[in-house]
Amino acid sequence: MRGDVWAFPTLAGKAYEKEKTAHPTQKPEALITELIKAFCPKNENGQYEGTILDPFHGSGTLGVCCEKLNKQGHNIKWVGIELEQQWCDVANERLRNI
Ligand SMILES: C[S@@+](CC[C@H](N)C(=O)[O-])C[C@H]1O[C@@H](n2cnc3c(N)ncnc32)[C@H](O)[C@@H]1O
């Protein structure tokens, strides 16, 4: 288990210009991926699996991280809910680019 405090850089500066969207409280993919790995079970082949509900999907970081892991052979199902159409559009664009 990791400790109580997890340190991740904010999505500021040139290093994150490709990842950052216009969403004001977008979370870093590195952080969300760590959370997925911390809480999803692994199957007998050592791949992460399970289903995650993100009821505040925003710019779609959870979906993006799940799909990137799935491209590596993991099997994570996810559902994202977002109130504002503009952030759904951003999420869909990010997902299309994977
Ligand atoms: C902290 S942001 C999520 C950021 C997201 N993790 C990301 O990386 O982009 C919270 C999101 O929840 C949405 N939201 C707020 N109330 C909601 C509701 N009742 N149902 C669905 N989405 C809601 C907001 O529009 C906002 O985009």
Side-chain angles (χ1 to χ4, degrees):
M1 289 297 285
R2 296 186 55 148
D4 293 337
V5 179
W6 298 14
F8 285 86
T10 60
L11 293 173
K14 209 158 178 57
Y16 293 97
E17 67 184 359
K18 284 194 180 141
E19 184 175 336
K20 184 80 182 87
T21 73
H23 195 290
T25 59
Q26 178 185 348
K27 302 301 174 288
E29 290 179 27
L31 169 62
I32 301 299
T33 300
E34 281 296 296
L35 285 166
I36 294 168
K37 289 179 173 177
F39 291 102
C40 277
K42 279 184 175 176
N43 63 22
E44 63 275 7
N45 300 318
Q47 294 161 327
Y48 292 102
E49 61 180 13
T51 304
I52 305 171
L53 170 66
D54 183 352
F56 304 99
H57 203 220
S59 66
T61 308
L62 184 275
V64 165
C65 294
C66 288
E67 292 305 329
K68 285 186 173 178
L69 287 167
N70 288 343
K71 282 187 84 168
Q72 297 168 18
H74 302 284
N75 183 25
I76 305 162
K77 299 177 182 66
W78 60 275
V79 177
I81 301 171
E82 172 53 45
L83 190 62
E84 295 196 33
Q85 183 64 49
Q86 62 172 324
W87 307 129
C88 293
D89 294 343
V90 167
N92 284 333
E93 181 64 20
R94 291 178 78 189
L95 288 160
R96 262 195 300 273
N97 288 332
I98 296 172

